[in-house]
Amino acid sequence: MPLLSVVTYPHNSRFEHKKMKRILSMILIAALLHLCGTLYAQKGSFYELKQLQSPQKPRLAFMIHGGAGTIRRGSMTAEKEKQYRAKLEEALMAGYKALQAGKTGVDAVEIAINILEDSPLFNAGKGAVFNHEGKNELDASIMNGKDLSAGAVAGLHRIKNPITLARAVMERSPHVMMIGDGAEQFAKEQNITLVDEKYFWTQERWDALQQILKEEKEKKVSGRYADEPYNKFGTVGAVALDKNGDLAAGTSTGGMTNKKFGRVGDSPIIGAGTYANDNSCAVSGTGWGEFFIRLSVAREIATQIEYRALPIQDAVDLVIKQKLQKMGGDGGVIAVDRYGNMGISFNSEGMYRAYVDINGKPIVEIYK
Ligand code: ASP
């Protein structure tokens, strides 16, 4: 049956029939051209969506970071660099081996972060920076991508491993976030290790605080830490994809040197410094916390993957190198998606980071 024969015309003359036919053909062609144009414009995202949804076999994935900041080759001794590399590799492989042994992503994240917290090299646990009053005040958070359960702690003075307390909040309390004395009270009830405040004291972090205080005094300005990124590297974090295909992320920090008035950064904020969702990815961040909070960095990355199907590296670069950069913030993230694809992005001079590559080999990197 001819395509247009279904149309009835008011005057069935041959001329009008032809005219109508031409008009309808033109409409049909215009509609087809419009459809082609739309498909062409969307080509990129259709392709990416197909890529993301293709039955790619998930694999174990594990990544850690030890903070981002002004880390230059020139300001690092060979001995110090060796120590950083060794500790990062130790933490990385401890977490990865746990995953290989069938432990969960949450287990792997906690294991690796505990090792970094116990090392004075990093601004978390033992090597935490000092606040303005000369105290160490620790924050941490952890998230399970399987059920979106999460735990966070902030303003701690006596918890040896804040990530372990964050996990206890997630798994053994009805809450998501606990702070200060209350969190420490909960830790006691849960038999989590408390230490004397002196445990966190290190010469290097003390000197860093004295240096900032001196500069503040000389310049007669207050709150330098808030005006300028300063010595804010060393926060630690980990992201994992386990054998069950579940994602997990965790972050632990001493915050920023010279922080004041109960300041809390992004590290214990779910969606800012830490996020995990089996639908999209797991993210742990490090950097200037105020900006990470305002941009909801970790959640923003997950959103780019969940709704726009961006490949993970594009998603982390978009949020760090464009959005964060544009706001004037700095720092970096590690991220892994539900297939085990990994992404790293930072706009600072360096970032302590390590991951296990597709051949199971540990890769440790520090500089740009
Ligand atoms: N993000 C942390 C904070 O603002 C600091 C860091 O990552 O070094 O508390």
Side-chain angles (χ1 to χ4, degrees):
M1 186 164 58
L3 183 68
L4 299 174
S5 65
V6 285
V7 183
T8 48
Y9 305 107
H11 309 289
N12 206 9
S13 76
R14 236 180 117 185
F15 174 74
E16 283 191 350
H17 180 87
K18 262 189 166 171
K19 201 171 139 196
M20 245 2 236
K21 213 169 158 182
R22 211 179 307 133
I23 291 170
L24 282 171
S25 306
M26 278 165 72
I27 292 172
L28 206 66
I29 290 167
L32 275 171
L33 283 174
H34 181 73
L35 187 70
C36 289
T38 312
L39 284 175
Y40 183 75
Q42 302 246 336
K43 201 180 98 205
S45 48
F46 279 146
Y47 174 69
E48 283 149 9
L49 196 66
K50 208 173 144 237
Q51 248 197 348
L52 202 76
Q53 289 173 345
S54 66
Q56 191 183 338
K57 199 171 168 281
R59 58 185 192 84
L60 295 185
F62 196 59
M63 308 173 82
I64 60 170
H65 70 78
T70 322
I71 311 163
R72 296 193 192 100
R73 233 176 262 274
S75 55
M76 174 91 82
T77 64
E79 182 49 35
K80 199 100 199 192
E81 182 171 332
K82 220 170 112 189
Q83 287 174 18
Y84 273 108
R85 288 185 180 278
K87 195 48 82 177
L88 285 166
E89 188 169 327
E90 180 193 333
L92 178 77
M93 291 320 282
Y96 189 65
K97 282 185 184 141
L99 290 178
Q100 284 179 313
K103 293 208 180 230
T104 66
V106 169
D107 290 330
V109 163
E110 185 190 2
I111 288 168
I113 291 183
N114 278 171
I115 292 173
L116 300 172
E117 284 175 335
D118 290 346
S119 162
L121 291 172
F122 302 95
N123 172 20
K126 174 72 184 158
V129 297
F130 287 92
N131 67 9
H132 186 68
E133 285 77 38
K135 285 184 139 216
N136 306 101
E137 223 164 45
L138 300 96
D139 310 327
S141 67
I142 193 162
M143 188 162 186
N144 187 344
K146 185 180 176 181
D147 56 4
L148 303 187
S149 57
V153 284
L156 310 173
H157 298 289
R158 293 187 301 144
I159 305 298
K160 181 170 174 279
N161 294 106
I163 197 73
T164 298
L165 183 56
R167 183 176 182 176
V169 171
M170 172 169 81
E171 292 176 348
R172 294 185 244 154
S173 92
H175 307 301
V176 168
M177 192 169 202
M178 290 189 196
I179 61 162
D181 294 344
E184 297 195 347
Q185 179 60 36
F186 175 69
K188 276 185 212 157
E189 288 172 14
Q190 297 295 323
N191 291 322
I192 284 171
T193 312
L194 280 96
V195 289
D196 189 279
E197 292 186 27
K198 285 197 212 88
Y199 165 81
F200 298 106
W201 197 95
T202 58
Q203 189 69 53
E204 199 177 323
R205 302 298 188 199
W206 183 251
D207 292 348
L209 174 66
Q210 301 317 309
Q211 178 67 23
I212 299 185
L213 293 177
K214 192 169 147 244
E215 287 177 24
E216 247 184 23
K217 213 168 164 189
E218 280 164 6
K219 291 183 188 166
K220 299 205 169 24
V221 289
S222 66
R224 168 173 181 162
Y225 96 91
D227 305 331
E228 211 176 304
Y230 194 82
N231 195 20
K232 58 174 178 48
F233 51 83
T235 290
V236 306
V239 291
L241 176 66
D242 66 23
K243 270 193 176 147
N244 304 320
D246 294 323
L247 289 161
T251 312
S252 182
T253 191
M256 284 165 74
T257 305
N258 198 29
K259 62 185 181 181
K260 295 176 183 131
F261 318 119
R263 179 263 187 191
V264 175
D266 61 309
S267 308
I269 309 283
I270 297 300
T274 302
Y275 193 72
N277 186 336
D278 282 3
N279 280 346
S280 49
C281 63
V283 183
S284 171
T286 169
W288 199 344
E290 279 69 11
F291 288 89
F292 275 62
I293 295 172
R294 288 164 59 202
L295 202 52
S296 303
V297 163
R299 173 67 186 150
E300 178 65 27
I301 290 166
T303 301
Q304 297 296 332
I305 292 172
E306 189 175 346
Y307 300 124
R308 290 185 65 204
L310 278 195
I312 194 137
Q313 189 58 46
D314 291 1
V316 292
D317 280 340
L318 173 71
V319 175
I320 298 300
K321 294 193 173 155
Q322 293 185 41
K323 292 178 183 250
L324 183 75
Q325 175 87 25
K326 208 168 145 196
M327 281 175 80
D330 70 345
V333 290
I334 51 170
V336 60
D337 73 15
R338 58 195 166 133
Y339 300 109
N341 299 313
M342 296 180 282
I344 301 177
S345 190
F346 55 97
N347 68 346
S348 48
E349 292 211 30
M351 176 166 158
Y352 298 107
R353 58 203 187 275
Y355 59 93
V356 178
D357 75 6
I358 47 170
N359 303 312
K361 202 175 142 228
I363 308 289
V364 179
E365 290 167 344
I366 297 176
Y367 310 106
K368 239 180 197 160

